[in-house]
Amino acid sequence: MAEKEIALLKEQITRLDEKNFDLEAWKNHTLIFLERIFGKDSSKIKMIKDLHYDYSSWSLRDTAAAGKTKDKDPVRMQADEILRATVAELESLGLPENKKEQEKVWELLQDELTGKQVKEIEALQKSEDPEKTEKIAIILEKLEKENLALIIAKLLTT
């Protein structure tokens, strides 16, 4: 399970209620944690980066027209919801699988195999064929030893 990650995010949720809350500092801490957990391309990171206070004249006018400030800071409320959803996701689904490793493997295969071989392997991978592993192995066995050794060496060094 993702106990450590959940604990970090829950700590960030509690920091939202600090009296001397600094949004930018909070965002920086949170982004570090989210990048480590979900990777740099996560939609959660974009949502946190997009959090900001609106100091436009319309926003200020609407606040003044209401006669008082809102009970709860809308930016903090949004941040709270993002992190609560993230914690719920981790509690329910666990940590995300590392897709980047698979992408690296595919890049290496595309560099070393012919287009036809790559298409055959992709089709087998997506199929429900119970013998797909053996069939992929047959395609790879047709490679020259040097090419196969090069693929394995690149996998180990990237």
Side-chain angles (χ1 to χ4, degrees), residues 9 12 25-35 48 83:
L9 296 177
Q12 288 304 100
W26 180 89
K27 283 170 50 173
N28 289 335
H29 275 94
T30 305
L31 290 171
I32 290 168
F33 300 147
L34 291 175
E35 281 182 12
I48 295 295
L83 288 188

Side-chain angles (χ1 to χ4, degrees), residues 101 104-113 137 140-141 143-158:
E101 296 301 318
K104 286 180 186 177
V105 170
W106 277 110
E107 284 179 27
L108 290 173
L109 288 176
Q110 289 171 343
D111 288 345
E112 300 300 325
L113 303 177
L140 295 174
E141 284 174 357
L143 294 176
E144 294 180 23
K145 284 185 179 181
E146 294 82 22
N147 288 0
L148 198 53
L150 184 60
I151 291 172
I152 294 170
K154 285 182 178 179
L155 284 172
L156 293 172
T157 57
T158 57

Side-chain angles (χ1 to χ4, degrees), residues 45-62:
I45 290 173
K46 181 180 181 340
M47 288 188 277
I48 295 295
K49 283 181 178 178
D50 289 344
L51 291 173
H52 66 279
Y53 289 105
D54 186 7
Y55 295 113
S56 71
S57 60
W58 289 105
S59 174
L60 296 172
R61 179 202 62 143
D62 292 344

Side-chain angles (χ1 to χ4, degrees), residues 49-87:
K49 283 181 178 178
D50 289 344
L51 291 173
H52 66 279
Y53 289 105
D54 186 7
Y55 295 113
S56 71
S57 60
W58 289 105
S59 174
L60 296 172
R61 179 202 62 143
D62 292 344
T63 302
K68 60 179 180 175
T69 58
K70 295 180 181 173
D71 292 341
K72 180 95 167 140
D73 180 343
V75 174
R76 291 188 199 194
M77 287 173 48
Q78 192 174 13
D80 183 77
E81 288 300 317
I82 293 167
L83 288 188
R84 287 187 189 281
T86 303
V87 167

Side-chain angles (χ1 to χ4, degrees), residues 1 20 25 39 54 78 91 136 158:
M1 189 70 178
N20 295 325
D54 186 7
Q78 192 174 13
E91 288 173 341
I136 291 173
T158 57

